[in-house]
Amino acid sequence: DVKVTQSSRYLVKRTGEKVFLECVQDMDHENMFWYRQDPGLGLRLIYFSYDVKMKEKGDIPEGYSVSREKKERFSLILESASTNQTSMYLCASSTTGGSNTGELFFGEGSRLTVL
Amino acid sequence: GDSVTQMEGPVTLSEEAFLTINCTYTATGYPSLFWYVQYPGEGLQLLLKATKADDKGSNKGFEATYRKETTSFHLEKGSVQVSDSAVYFCALSDGSSGYSTLTFGKGTMLLVSP
């Protein structure tokens, strides 16, 4: 089974802490994405990467950074967590070209609570 | 920029009822259109897609037709089951780049009672 695995399903952090959310995919996909999901707002794109060491800002990059040192791994970093970053974070991957172009494969999500 | 508008929920139905969830979009060019489903406690998974005008996507009894003239991609199912209770997201891919970011609607919760 192809999979996108997010390292933590639930996290509780304090304001000001540095937070790492890890995502690994086993499909050899070129593209990886981080979204946040909030009630009434749907999914909003934070950052994405189309190649190792490459990153692009999405719609809401403020307060976040990312790292992609290996093709299969894409990390989301909150340098100094704030309460308004309490959310569900979803990682996804996709390939470029072929019949699956545009289809995203999602992980199960990481629910982060910042106190 | 691109945008997707879908009907607000929750949509509450009895088992075996007919389902329609409306989705309209705004995009330049010729996007691909998707419906994703999120079951409780899980991530999103692709339900169906259509890549060009008049294409019909279908899966698990769900259907949606890509209507360019009305910029719509409404999701339908003839007879819903309790197990269809989930949040449904309409999305588009602008396809202008190789990595195809998706723009999502806000999601519609479907609740099906026995």
Side-chain angles (χ1 to χ4, degrees):
Chain A
D1 242 3
V2 295
K3 278 196 88 165
V4 178
T5 302
Q6 296 184 228
S7 56
S8 304
R9 291 295 305 275
Y10 301 95
L11 304 93
V12 179
K13 299 292 182 181
R14 298 207 173 272
T15 301
E17 281 193 76
K18 191 169 186 176
V19 181
F20 292 87
L21 299 179
E22 305 284 340
C23 175
V24 177
Q25 50 95 4
D26 65 359
M27 296 168 279
D28 200 35
H29 281 171
E30 300 87 354
N31 313 312
M32 297 187 75
F33 306 80
W34 277 106
Y35 286 86
R36 65 176 282 177
Q37 181 181 10
D38 300 289
L41 297 177
L43 276 74
R44 293 178 293 167
L45 182 63
I46 304 171
Y47 267 99
F48 63 99
S49 168
Y50 55 88
D51 201 353
V52 175
K53 296 193 185 295
M54 305 302 290
K55 60 183 180 183
E56 294 285 341
K57 293 180 179 179
D59 300 317
I60 52 164
E62 296 79 17
Y64 303 94
S65 61
V66 290
S67 172
R68 192 159 181 211
E69 296 296 319
K70 294 184 178 181
K71 188 176 185 180
E72 68 270 18
R73 187 179 298 270
F74 192 36
S75 302
L76 180 69
I77 303 156
L78 288 66
E79 293 288 342
S80 178
S82 63
T83 55
N84 63 13
Q85 293 177 309
T86 292
S87 187
M88 170 71 85
Y89 290 89
L90 293 169
C91 176
S93 70
S94 72
T95 189
T96 300
S99 62
N100 282 333
T101 299
E103 178 181 354
L104 296 185
F105 294 82
F106 282 87
E108 292 189 323
S110 298
R111 185 168 293 283
L112 171 67
T113 301
V114 183
L115 303 175
Chain B
D2 297 346
S3 66
V4 175
T5 302
Q6 56 183 111
M7 59 191 292
E8 291 191 24
V11 174
T12 305
L13 295 173
S14 298
E15 208 165 22
E16 300 184 2
F18 184 85
L19 168 71
T20 300
I21 299 178
N22 290 337
C23 171
T24 57
Y25 67 90
T26 302
T28 54
Y30 304 96
S32 295
L33 301 173
F34 304 83
W35 278 101
Y36 280 81
V37 59
Q38 185 179 33
Y39 299 103
E42 298 183 13
L44 278 72
Q45 56 186 275
L46 179 68
L47 181 60
L48 53 85
K49 69 178 181 181
T51 57
K52 61 183 188 298
D54 299 326
D55 267 3
K56 177 186 283 189
S58 61
N59 186 25
K60 300 181 181 180
F62 291 89
E63 293 183 340
T65 301
Y66 188 162
R67 302 283 189 203
K68 192 170 186 298
E69 63 278 10
T70 56
T71 62
S72 64
F73 193 54
H74 304 322
L75 182 68
E76 296 183 335
K77 188 175 184 183
S79 176
V80 294
Q81 305 300 312
V82 172
S83 57
D84 293 327
S85 298
V87 181
Y88 292 81
F89 292 91
C90 185
L92 69 82
S93 168
D94 65 9
S96 61
S97 62
Y99 37 80
S100 297
T101 61
L102 292 193
T103 299
F104 287 87
K106 294 183 179 180
T108 302
M109 179 177 288
L110 171 64
L111 299 171
V112 181
S113 56

